[in-house]
Amino acid sequence: MQQFEEDEDNIGKGTRKVKLNQEQSTSIPLIPGILNMIFQFLTPQQYQQMRLVSHQFNAVVQQFNKSFLFTNVQKGTFQQFNNFIRQFSQLTKIKLPPISSEEHKLCDEIDPQYLTQVIFSDFLNDSESQQAYLKEFFQKYTSIISVGINKFYSLKWLPLENIKQLDLSTVIEIKDKSFLELSKNLVSLNIHIQEKNNFFSTAEFPPLEQLKVLKIKLWGPTFKEEHYQNFLNFLESIKNLEILELLFNTYESNQIKQDVFNAFINKLPNLRILKAFYCYEQIQNTQFKHRFDYLVIENNKFIKLKALDIPTLEMLLAFTNILDITNCSLEEDNEKLIQQFLENQRENQSQKNETILKVSFEQNHIKANNYEFPIVQKNSNFTTFWDSGYYSI
Amino acid sequence: MKFISQDDITFEIDNEVLRQCTKICNTDSSIVKLTSTKSKILQKVIQYCEMHLNDFDIPEIQKPIKYQHNIFDIVSFKDAQFITNLEFEEIIQIIQAAKFLGINTLIDLSCAYIAIKIRGKNSQQVKEMLKSNKPITDEQEQMDRDMEIKVKK
């Protein structure tokens, strides 16, 4: 595990160097521009893996050239669906419609080599035919490393050992957390934990040593006093986490307890990017602010801890598809560098299919220029759509 | 045309050799200073261009590279031999020099070779591959820094 050391003197100048550690300091630097050229020769699956590897070298590369198709298919239109997606043989990411019987299959012409991410929408795999479909699906599409679901009956039908990114954010009820046992290669987890999930009611959590990114939505009464130690065990199991997005549901005027918040910060020594919504008070009461490179609270209001610089931006972009840094303020010295960096992002062809960069540094004269959702086909049931950063690594 | 390296070594370049350098072959200037390229690297770049003196059409390397293919399967033997005899560190510097000069086939050759070497590797394995072979002493580091400052001035 690399340690990020910061040269405090250089932080304000936008020239912060993130060293790995002494032993690694003689590594040949991988420059993102060159990495992009190298990665053109990799298959999307290899590319995805290398992107995560290169992140660990602090040489984060950009989102690779992928197409994402969000589908919304009504009953009786599956033939149309298949005809439509036939034009995307190199599709890398797809949101599948609810599939109600085995006769509805994903178009066979999508190249299994390319398809790496899939989102199942309203897919209840509680019938034999659906389970058979899933089995066949994952046997064919072996490159898939990212899965998002909302209504799965059971997670055991997923090839969990291959999955690096799992989005369960819209699953209201996680009946069984045993899926974590097999998720040893998970890098990014997005999860919604409610009281009825009983997620913290038992003490055992398998170590998720690869997990770097956690987006967690917590509901107020989730933490019962007697479960607090179990919660700490959970944090122990994800001790290599680097990015945490903590969303606390405030309805019923609950507040996340200070000790719960502190535990997140205390138990995760490698955490360097924290997005903590509805936790303003708790953040104010902690002594840990100095630990973070980047900290966001409510509506992306930026608590300025350290100057927003390019290494941090690169890291954020590697894990976020929509980056809203509208309210960030910039150091005068690195404003130009960041502006140039963002311009390059916009010009980068490989980003245009998917990544949406939302920028508005009005005070600092950086033009607001949002990327429109790319529209593939408007006059039918099918449109492309990027529904926020939910499905981002 | 003359190329001058970072360490002030001058290389005389024939027009035939220059043909590969798409970014500078049509410039009027007779001297090109490569302020971030050391002579050792520039020599390799020129060697590559000389190797292809009579090649008017070097086939493009197909992307992505098939998993079962190695560098000898996708480029000519002489190119494969050229690139496999280089250290990783040299290749990275060659890419930078080739980018500056616009030698696209050399960029592709170098990038394809690195892609083959790093694909499927985990961070630890990549780290091992990217370790510089040269131990850097404080003195060398200072010399490098001095050189950088001199070049910037």
Side-chain angles (χ1 to χ4, degrees):
Chain A
M1 187 63 218
Q2 78 277 24
Q3 294 296 314
F4 293 96
E5 298 169 12
E6 293 148 55
D7 182 350
E8 292 289 338
D9 290 342
N10 284 329
I11 286 169
K13 297 173 190 164
T15 55
R16 180 176 61 104
K17 287 177 187 166
V18 181
K19 294 176 185 171
L20 299 174
N21 60 31
Q22 207 52 44
E23 177 219 342
Q24 293 167 331
S25 62
T26 56
S27 285
I28 303 161
L30 285 175
I31 300 160
I34 290 181
L35 274 179
N36 282 341
M37 294 194 295
I38 293 169
F39 287 178
Q40 287 174 37
F41 292 93
L42 299 177
T43 62
Q45 189 195 11
Q46 291 166 339
Y47 198 149
Q48 183 84 320
Q49 187 201 357
M50 289 314 300
R51 190 164 74 92
L52 296 164
V53 168
S54 65
H55 153 64
Q56 292 168 345
F57 280 90
N58 194 48
V60 175
V61 292
Q62 310 311 321
Q63 296 281 353
F64 64 98
N65 188 7
K66 56 192 169 188
S67 317
F68 173 41
L69 186 64
F70 180 99
T71 61
N72 179 20
V73 181
Q74 303 301 314
K75 201 178 172 187
T77 58
F78 282 90
Q79 188 53 47
Q80 197 185 355
F81 167 75
N82 278 339
N83 289 341
F84 175 72
I85 61 172
R86 195 160 288 145
Q87 62 187 297
F88 300 98
S89 65
Q90 296 191 352
L91 203 66
T92 61
K93 182 172 182 176
I94 191 165
K95 179 171 176 177
L96 283 174
I99 295 168
S100 55
S101 80
E102 58 191 325
E103 69 192 75
H104 300 137
K105 288 180 182 170
L106 179 64
C107 176
D108 279 346
E109 290 181 36
I110 294 181
D111 189 336
Q113 186 184 219
Y114 290 96
L115 194 67
T116 58
Q117 303 186 64
V118 64
I119 298 161
F120 291 96
S121 173
D122 293 341
F123 188 95
L124 278 169
N125 54 343
D126 55 353
S127 72
E128 271 185 29
S129 65
Q130 285 177 328
Q131 286 162 7
Y133 169 80
L134 271 184
K135 197 176 168 192
E136 196 185 320
F137 178 86
F138 283 113
Q139 269 170 0
K140 178 176 180 184
Y141 293 101
T142 52
S143 298
I144 287 177
I145 55 168
S146 172
V147 177
I149 60 173
N150 64 346
K151 284 185 181 171
F152 258 30
Y153 180 72
S154 168
L155 292 169
K156 72 177 179 183
W157 302 100
L158 299 176
L160 289 164
E161 60 283 3
N162 297 337
I163 293 176
K164 291 189 183 299
Q165 179 185 30
L166 186 58
D167 190 336
L168 307 175
S169 60
T170 48
V171 178
I172 300 300
E173 195 172 354
I174 298 166
K175 289 178 181 166
D176 178 8
K177 65 180 180 194
S178 63
F179 71 93
L180 293 173
E181 297 282 349
L182 291 170
S183 308
K184 291 193 177 5
N185 291 315
L186 210 57
V187 175
S188 172
L189 175 65
N190 196 346
I191 196 165
H192 181 181
I193 295 178
Q194 301 211 48
E195 190 185 15
K196 61 182 171 185
N197 295 154
N198 288 322
F199 197 82
F200 297 117
S201 62
T202 53
E204 286 78 35
F205 291 90
L208 298 176
E209 289 178 358
Q210 301 294 321
L211 197 74
K212 305 279 184 204
V213 186
L214 175 66
K215 293 185 182 183
I216 190 165
K217 197 171 2 171
L218 294 169
W219 187 63
T222 302
F223 294 101
K224 294 174 183 154
E225 290 300 324
E226 65 268 31
H227 293 163
Y228 185 67
Q229 186 52 48
N230 298 341
F231 164 66
L232 295 183
N233 291 351
F234 171 64
L235 296 185
E236 279 290 329
S237 75
I238 56 166
K239 60 185 177 189
N240 292 330
L241 201 74
E242 291 180 24
I243 299 178
L244 171 66
E245 183 170 322
L246 177 62
L247 176 63
F248 193 74
N249 283 2
T250 55
Y251 48 82
E252 297 189 1
S253 68
N254 290 304
Q255 282 224 323
I256 191 165
K257 288 180 184 167
Q258 187 71 45
D259 58 349
V260 172
F261 182 83
N262 288 355
F264 268 113
I265 314 302
N266 262 333
K267 287 277 177 184
L268 303 171
N270 296 315
L271 202 64
R272 57 190 295 256
I273 292 181
L274 171 66
K275 295 184 181 185
F277 299 93
Y278 308 117
C279 299
Y280 185 77
E281 291 297 322
Q282 290 76 10
I283 290 170
Q284 294 307 308
N285 292 335
T286 59
Q287 297 301 310
F288 309 110
K289 285 199 291 185
H290 66 279
R291 270 193 34 199
F292 301 108
D293 286 358
Y294 189 77
L295 174 60
V296 183
I297 56 160
E298 293 149 56
N299 301 321
N300 290 320
K301 264 187 204 154
F302 180 69
I303 293 185
K304 187 179 164 189
L305 301 173
K306 292 168 185 171
L308 183 61
D309 56 15
I310 289 173
T312 306
L313 257 180
E314 284 177 335
M315 184 157 171
L316 286 168
L317 277 170
F319 290 96
T320 316
N321 287 82
I322 295 182
L323 177 63
D324 185 347
I325 41 179
T326 313
N327 293 315
C328 293
S329 54
L330 293 171
E331 293 292 315
E332 204 176 307
D333 288 348
N334 68 359
E335 181 195 327
K336 256 193 178 161
L337 285 172
I338 288 180
Q339 183 164 11
Q340 186 57 48
F341 175 83
L342 294 173
E343 285 300 325
N344 291 342
Q345 292 292 311
R346 274 198 283 273
E347 286 165 12
N348 187 345
Q349 286 299 322
S350 68
Q351 306 254 336
K352 288 190 177 175
N353 286 335
E354 184 177 32
T355 303
I356 297 154
L357 188 64
K358 188 178 172 190
V359 185
S360 174
F361 288 118
E362 284 169 27
Q363 287 174 334
N364 292 285
H365 318 293
I366 293 181
K367 241 169 50 181
N369 197 353
N370 299 345
Y371 226 95
E372 297 297 327
F373 296 120
I375 295 165
V376 174
Q377 189 168 332
K378 246 180 167 178
N379 57 351
S380 74
N381 293 320
F382 316 108
T383 53
T384 56
F385 176 65
W386 178 248
D387 65 345
S388 84
Y390 284 157
Y391 296 101
S392 62
I393 292 189
Chain B
M1 189 179 272
K2 285 178 182 170
F3 286 175
I4 301 174
S5 66
Q6 187 192 62
D7 42 349
D8 273 329
I9 307 289
T10 304
F11 295 83
E12 290 271 358
I13 311 294
D14 289 339
N15 281 346
E16 288 303 309
V17 174
L18 208 60
R19 189 165 40 84
Q20 311 276 348
C21 309
T22 57
K23 279 192 184 162
I24 53 158
C25 60
N26 294 322
T27 53
D28 294 326
S29 168
S30 59
I31 295 174
V32 176
K33 285 187 178 175
L34 289 100
T35 49
S36 53
T37 308
K38 289 180 181 158
S39 54
K40 188 185 162 199
I41 299 301
L42 193 50
Q43 202 167 18
K44 297 281 180 195
V45 173
I46 294 166
Q47 185 192 336
Y48 173 85
C49 294
E50 286 171 345
M51 246 166 55
H52 289 284
L53 209 57
N54 300 317
D55 300 337
F56 286 87
D57 190 17
I58 302 168
E60 204 174 307
I61 301 170
Q62 214 178 351
K63 300 169 191 168
I65 300 167
K66 286 185 182 160
Y67 186 71
Q68 63 272 28
H69 282 170
N70 66 33
I71 194 74
F72 285 89
D73 297 321
I74 57 170
V75 298
S76 65
F77 182 77
K78 63 179 175 184
D79 274 351
Q81 208 176 29
F82 169 79
I83 204 75
T84 52
N85 281 331
L86 296 169
E87 300 287 342
F88 250 52
E89 197 170 2
E90 288 174 316
I91 298 173
I92 300 281
Q93 290 172 45
I94 283 173
I95 294 172
Q96 286 170 303
K99 255 180 95 178
F100 179 80
L101 296 168
I103 313 172
N104 298 331
T105 51
L106 178 55
I107 297 172
D108 277 4
L109 171 65
S110 308
C111 290
Y113 180 62
I114 294 179
I116 286 169
K117 299 301 275 185
I118 65 173
R119 66 186 175 185
K121 301 277 192 301
N122 63 31
S123 59
Q124 191 59 32
Q125 290 163 323
V126 176
K127 190 179 82 181
E128 283 302 315
M129 292 172 69
L130 291 175
K131 259 189 184 166
S132 175
N133 288 333
K134 287 178 280 179
I136 296 179
T137 63
D138 287 349
E139 203 181 355
Q140 280 172 314
E141 206 173 14
Q142 188 57 48
M143 275 168 64
D144 283 351
R145 235 179 270 148
D146 291 346
M147 180 63 83
E148 266 181 44
I149 293 166
K150 194 179 152 191
V151 167
K152 277 176 191 162
K153 279 177 183 170

